[in-house]
Amino acid sequence: MKRSDTLASGRKFRMLTVVDDFSRESLAVIVDNSLSGIRVARELDQIVEMRGVPCMVVSDNGTEFTSRAILAWQEERGVEWPYIALGKPTQNGFIESFNGRLRDECMNEHLFASLPEARRIIEEWRTDYNTLRPHTSLNGLTPTEFAARPVEGHNLL
């Protein structure tokens, strides 16, 4: 899901947030001036290298997600890619919840002087979110702990 904010200078920046719905783990928060479909595909390839190809990616229908680059990416990898309906963010509730936490706990708490500073602070927050925060929906485990469980136990809490 893509979000935007501004630096102290007033210059806008974009964020691509990627969350694993199963483990609630934040797989990436990409921060840059702009995020094209080609860039999104490149970032997804980096996630795939670490985690494997997902069965499905759900997103809104922003131009970066409906671009030729993304359509080719999902077709080449056999990934199902449904889009949420316009005006229906609850159809992608996990990412909306994550984005709300990111905004409340990080974005609203900092005034970023530069893009590198924004990347550093946001990545620190993401690491904390994944490794230090137990989730009740994960039976008290952090997203990293939940994702690291043995594969045979993934269907059980």
Side-chain angles (χ1 to χ4, degrees):
M1 195 64 76
K2 188 177 64 170
R3 296 284 177 242
S4 64
D5 209 318
T6 56
L7 300 173
S9 66
R11 183 171 183 168
K12 287 190 178 243
F13 66 91
R14 311 293 289 180
M15 293 180 293
L16 171 69
T17 56
V18 182
V19 173
D20 180 332
D21 284 359
F22 181 70
S23 69
R24 310 297 198 269
E25 191 173 14
S26 169
L27 303 179
V29 178
I30 310 304
V31 177
D32 214 332
N33 291 322
S34 66
L35 295 165
S36 67
I38 292 169
R39 174 71 186 279
V40 171
R42 191 172 65 233
E43 296 297 342
L44 290 174
D45 278 336
Q46 288 184 6
I47 293 169
V48 165
E49 284 181 29
M50 295 182 318
R51 300 294 289 260
V53 178
C55 298
M56 181 187 314
V57 173
V58 178
S59 72
D60 62 24
N61 58 2
T63 56
E64 69 284 358
F65 301 124
T66 58
S67 69
R68 287 187 179 122
I70 291 300
L71 295 174
W73 185 91
Q74 61 94 24
E75 188 173 312
E76 289 167 7
R77 287 152 190 82
V79 175
E80 187 179 342
W81 196 303
Y83 297 101
I84 63 170
L86 290 173
K88 301 285 186 184
T90 55
Q91 291 179 350
N92 205 358
F94 294 129
I95 195 73
E96 292 299 330
S97 174
F98 175 82
N99 285 339
R101 286 181 186 271
L102 173 61
R103 173 130 339 260
D104 292 345
E105 298 172 6
C106 184
M107 309 305 291
N108 290 346
E109 297 295 319
H110 298 280
L111 187 59
F112 305 113
S114 66
L115 211 50
E117 179 183 60
R119 287 181 183 129
R120 180 183 55 78
I121 291 170
I122 292 166
E123 181 59 22
E124 288 171 0
W125 180 89
R126 188 184 79 81
T127 299
D128 177 81
Y129 174 88
N130 282 336
T131 62
L132 299 177
R133 298 177 183 208
H135 289 239
T136 54
S137 63
L138 303 177
N139 203 26
L141 298 174
T142 67
T144 301
E145 291 170 331
F146 187 82
R149 292 174 314 132
V151 173
E152 62 270 7
H154 275 205
N155 289 330
L156 305 171
L157 285 176

